[in-house]
Amino acid sequence: MNMATLSARITSLYHPARRALLLSTAVLLVACASAPKAPSAELMAAEQAIANAERAQVIRYTSTELNIARNELTAARSAVDAKDMLQARQLALQAQLSAEQAMARAEFIKAQAINQDMQQSIEVLQQEAQRNQAGVKP
């Protein structure tokens, strides 16, 4: 291949019609490659967090956060159906956080109840100790 032929081929690549075709093809490829995918992992994590909260019977202690998590998961699934994958991902992550918050709140309420029971036991023991000290003569 001589220099003139090579120069002609390079020049033909820069022809406006070819340049537009190459540019539109590149834009199309980039657009297809960057289309967000369904947030399957996030949805599964949210479902798992909600299932864990249900198994832990969180509803006995706090129903608000768990119901919020369920509603957010439902909204995330609806967003997937509507092909709004960014919104679906955000809602799935929020559902997971809400379920985890429900678990944490339930654990906190349980701990408070245990603490209260212990405080009452300590008070009873202190009262009994005071009665024993009052009845003992040195």
Side-chain angles (χ1 to χ4, degrees), residues 85-114:
M85 301 308 167
L86 295 176
Q87 181 72 9
R89 181 178 184 277
Q90 181 182 9
L91 286 167
L93 290 172
Q94 188 60 44
Q96 180 183 358
L97 290 174
S98 294
E100 291 170 356
Q101 181 182 9
M103 287 282 290
R105 181 155 169 74
E107 290 299 319
F108 177 72
I109 291 170
K110 287 180 196 177
Q112 278 185 321
I114 290 169

Side-chain angles (χ1 to χ4, degrees), residues 22-57:
L22 287 172
L23 181 61
S24 63
T25 302
V27 168
L28 182 62
L29 288 174
V30 168
C32 289
S34 65
K37 297 177 183 164
S40 302
E42 289 85 352
L43 288 169
M44 286 176 35
E47 290 167 358
Q48 185 65 42
I50 290 171
N52 290 343
E54 289 169 344
R55 276 193 299 278
Q57 297 180 347

Side-chain angles (χ1 to χ4, degrees), residues 43 69-81 87-88 91-92:
L43 288 169
R70 289 176 181 148
N71 291 339
E72 289 166 341
L73 181 59
T74 300
R77 289 179 180 143
S78 296
V80 169
D81 292 342
Q87 181 72 9
L91 286 167

